[in-house]
Amino acid sequence: MCKHLFDKGIAGEVVLEAMIKTPRHVFLESTFHQHAYQDKAFPIAAEQTISHPSTVAWQSELLELKPGMKVLEIGTGCGYQAAVLLHLGVKLFTIERQKELFDFSKTILKALGLRAEQKFGDGFKGMPIFAPFERIIVTCGAPYVPKALLSQLTVGGIMIIPVGEGIQKMVRIKKMQDGQFVQKVLGDAAFVPMLKDRE
Ligand code: SAH
């Protein structure tokens, strides 16, 4: 699987090494185990999906990570992208709005010996008490760029977020020295929608 991603030029060696260290089948129901290393999305609990490995590789590469960076992830899901980020040596904060997935991802990351600050709640709000973050990755399709997330980026910080309804555009947003944000639209993506908390 990682050789295929490398040949396609989706990510560099550092990201792919982290993916090699991250077993994908353990995040899936046993019926999907034999297909876990194909570049496909599969259903997980609460009618959500695990991201395609190529998407995980792409977003991880776009984040331009260095070990020790403070990273916020919106949409923990089963925890696969989180595990890849943790293998890249970052300090991870991650939010999930579905209780079943929050509980599942907590158990599985612990079983893999990985540690993240996990929150059950609404990703639109970010995690103000732990802000600011050097990187923010959104792994669900956002209807717009949430203001709270922009306000939780450091100067020089980068956010990678799929924006739009249905098919999204992957957008890279960088916070500049003067506090302005520079946006670059990178390509199409298809994530499950980012939904508001049920309040
Ligand atoms: N990162 C995951 C992708 C999971 S799919 C992976 O590695 O495969 C996207 C996840 O975003 C779903 O679990 C969904 O419940 C969650 N989500 C949707 N809206 C959200 C919100 N407002 N806040 C937090 N999580 C959200």
Side-chain angles (χ1 to χ4, degrees):
M1 175 184 91
C2 290
K3 186 178 180 312
H4 160 79
L5 300 176
F6 186 74
D7 291 345
K8 278 176 84 178
I10 293 170
E13 275 176 32
V14 176
V15 165
L16 292 175
E17 263 167 32
M19 290 186 67
I20 288 168
K21 286 186 199 153
T22 311
R24 189 166 181 252
H25 67 277
V26 298
F27 295 91
L28 295 169
E29 279 175 29
S30 56
T31 34
F32 300 119
H33 280 185
Q34 54 175 324
H35 307 294
Y37 297 94
Q38 295 173 13
D39 193 13
K40 288 186 181 158
F42 295 103
I44 51 174
E47 294 174 6
Q48 305 302 317
T49 52
I50 186 171
S51 293
H52 285 73
S54 53
T55 306
V56 170
W58 188 31
Q59 284 197 295
S60 302
E61 190 67 32
L62 290 173
L63 285 169
E64 299 172 29
L65 295 169
K66 291 198 183 73
M69 274 184 168
K70 256 177 90 179
V71 180
L72 174 66
E73 179 193 32
I74 308 300
T76 321
C78 59
Y80 177 58
Q81 171 77 74
V84 171
L85 294 173
L86 289 164
H87 277 127
L88 283 161
V90 306
K91 277 185 235 134
L92 186 67
F93 301 77
T94 181
I95 309 177
E96 172 56 51
R97 72 185 280 283
Q98 299 279 358
K99 184 73 167 71
E100 204 179 339
L101 287 167
F102 168 77
D103 290 339
F104 175 84
S105 59
K106 255 196 133 146
T107 307
I108 195 106
L109 291 176
K110 196 170 169 208
L112 291 172
L114 300 169
R115 246 198 70 78
E117 184 68 41
Q118 294 192 237
K119 183 179 154 85
F120 169 54
D122 182 7
F124 278 93
K125 297 178 184 147
M127 271 205 223
I129 53 163
F130 292 108
F133 301 97
E134 292 163 286
R135 299 289 186 264
I136 298 180
I137 169 174
V138 179
T139 69
C140 36
Y144 54 86
V145 179
K147 281 217 172 69
L149 297 186
L150 288 174
S151 73
Q152 290 172 32
L153 260 187
T154 56
V155 169
I158 295 173
M159 173 162 26
I160 305 295
I161 176 168
V163 186
E165 318 266 346
I167 295 288
Q168 305 101 28
K169 291 284 178 199
M170 193 72 88
V171 180
R172 175 190 192 268
I173 302 173
K174 184 163 185 179
K175 184 168 178 180
M176 310 309 285
Q177 287 290 342
D178 60 5
Q180 301 275 46
F181 295 96
V182 174
Q183 284 202 17
K184 195 171 168 196
V185 177
L186 298 163
D188 289 342
F191 287 82
V192 294
M194 182 174 184
L195 302 172
K196 292 257 184 200
D197 231 3
R198 287 151 273 162
E199 287 175 23

